[in-house]
Amino acid sequence: MAGMPHMLGPIESEPFRFTLNTDGRPHTRENVLAVGSFLLGIVALILGFIVGAHIVATAFGIIGFAGGFFAQYVSVTTPQRSLIIMGIVASFVGALLGIAHGGFS
């Protein structure tokens, strides 16, 4: 029974804790860039569905898309990269919706 540790008793696990610093070191700049690109993407995506906000959606989408690529370049941990990718995709879709509704004109 040495190969089945789950049979010996309940396995105690740590409580769920969301962190972007999975390596145990603080990465303030990288975390701000990751969260910022995610938030810009969410705002661009939401505004992309509003026809009258096409200028702002396009601008936020382009800024979030470009900023997301820079954040991806300097990111350190996998959770940062995951959050950044979600922000890049949301920024891209938000920018496309903004462009489809009129873009900068």
Side-chain angles (χ1 to χ4, degrees), residues 8-82:
L8 300 176
I11 298 174
E12 294 188 29
S13 62
E14 295 181 22
F16 177 75
R17 193 172 67 99
F18 179 76
T19 181
L20 295 175
N21 300 325
T22 54
D23 62 351
R25 291 182 287 172
H27 304 288
T28 307
R29 178 182 61 139
E30 292 83 359
N31 291 342
V32 168
L33 287 170
V35 171
S37 68
F38 179 74
L39 291 177
L40 278 171
I42 295 300
V43 170
L45 182 64
I46 291 170
L47 291 176
F49 287 106
I50 303 170
V51 176
H54 59 88
I55 296 172
V56 179
T58 305
F60 275 40
I62 291 172
I63 293 168
F65 192 70
F69 278 123
F70 177 73
Q72 188 77 334
Y73 178 69
V74 298
S75 65
V76 180
T77 64
T78 301
Q80 289 172 349
R81 294 181 185 121
S82 300

